[in-house]
Amino acid sequence: MRQAEVERLRSVRARVAGWKDLSLVDVLGEPSLTIWFNYCNFRCPWCQNGHVVSGEVSREVEVGGLADLAAASYTLVKFVHVTGGEPTLQDEALEALFKLCKLSEMKTSLSTNGSRPEVVRRLADEGLLDHIALDVKGPLNDPERYGRIAGLGIALAREIVPRIRETLRLALGNLSFVEIRTTLVPGLVEEREVMEVVGELREEVSQAGGSRVAYVLQQFSPSE
């Protein structure tokens, strides 16, 4: 890559809530440098990162500085994990960061709600994505219920849920390591919803083959 292009990538700016130099929980089985990108297109009523979503805690940084943090952490971590909020809303910054990480031979990881499959596809097609943590918040066969869980209106949920399924299939068909997460939320996501999600995922995984797939149940913590 030409130096001028590297400098262009380094100058791309992102809005972030912060980062953690060493995380042991964001990429299953791997230590990571984790960065929180601001903003989200969902309004989950149980969200634990409201300050990230709203931009209440936020700073504008150049992607080059984040890449330098990653390079400095290389002896301890091999993954750079970007979460949020919803990182795909800042797709230019996300792609620039992952390109710079690849120049340093770092592996990359994305946590996403799956609503923007076109961004995931572009990252995958360019070889910029090693791991994805996809939130499947509830049964994909019931957009109205999914909308309640994710804080979306019915019309918007009907539009977005097929896009989440597209992201799931894209990840299973193109990435070597796919982590799928569901958060247990009393009154919204309980045993019945989880079993429905598991049934849907079993069918999708059996048709896809290839990827290493992990399904993770997360416990809701009423911190806010």
Side-chain angles (χ1 to χ4, degrees):
M1 186 181 295
R2 294 181 178 180
Q3 186 60 32
E5 175 62 7
V6 172
E7 291 303 318
R8 186 193 71 79
L9 293 173
R10 290 183 59 85
S11 69
V12 175
R13 304 185 76 83
R15 298 294 309 192
V16 305
W19 52 81
K20 187 174 184 179
D21 293 334
L22 176 62
S23 170
L24 301 178
V25 298
D26 288 302
V27 180
L28 192 64
E30 300 281 354
S32 68
L33 167 73
T34 295
I35 303 166
W36 283 266
F37 273 32
N38 284 117
Y39 313 125
C40 188
N41 53 346
F42 285 14
R43 289 296 181 268
C44 303
W46 44 274
C47 180
Q48 294 170 239
N49 284 340
H51 60 291
V52 178
V53 169
S54 67
E56 176 185 345
V57 176
S58 181
R59 69 183 90 171
E60 187 175 61
V61 299
E62 289 190 344
V63 166
L66 299 176
D68 290 343
L69 283 172
S73 302
Y74 187 73
T75 55
L76 291 176
V77 301
K78 299 297 184 285
F79 272 91
V80 176
H81 178 74
V82 181
T83 184
E86 176 49 45
T88 61
L89 297 179
Q90 299 187 66
D91 52 316
E92 182 185 7
L94 183 64
E95 184 173 349
L97 174 60
F98 281 179
K99 284 182 176 178
L100 292 172
C101 289
K102 287 300 180 182
L103 291 178
S104 300
E105 300 184 345
M106 298 286 289
K107 292 184 177 181
T108 58
S109 170
L110 170 66
S111 178
T112 178
N113 62 27
S115 63
R116 301 197 72 202
E118 66 277 9
V119 177
V120 176
R121 181 178 297 280
R122 187 164 71 248
L123 294 174
D125 286 348
E126 294 186 27
L128 299 177
L129 193 55
D130 297 294
H131 168 267
I132 193 168
L134 174 62
D135 283 328
V136 177
K137 299 177 186 293
L140 294 170
N141 61 7
D142 189 341
E144 183 174 344
R145 188 165 25 154
Y146 208 99
R148 289 197 301 273
I149 295 168
L152 305 173
I154 295 174
L156 185 56
R158 287 173 177 164
E159 176 186 334
I160 283 181
V161 167
R163 296 173 64 80
I164 298 169
R165 191 183 295 277
E166 181 182 348
T167 300
L168 172 63
R169 291 173 176 172
L170 173 64
L172 292 172
N174 292 274
L175 301 178
S176 59
F177 186 8
V178 178
E179 193 173 336
I180 303 165
R181 300 172 176 175
T182 301
T183 303
L184 291 165
V185 185
L188 278 177
V189 184
E190 298 184 320
E191 182 177 355
R192 186 185 77 167
E193 285 77 18
V194 168
M195 294 309 297
E196 289 184 44
V197 171
V198 168
E200 293 174 342
L201 295 179
R202 182 183 292 118
E203 182 177 346
E204 294 288 351
V205 170
S206 67
Q207 292 177 3
S211 300
R212 171 193 171 193
V213 181
Y215 182 56
V216 179
L217 282 179
Q218 301 182 133
Q219 182 173 340
F220 165 64
S221 176
S223 58
E224 297 186 16

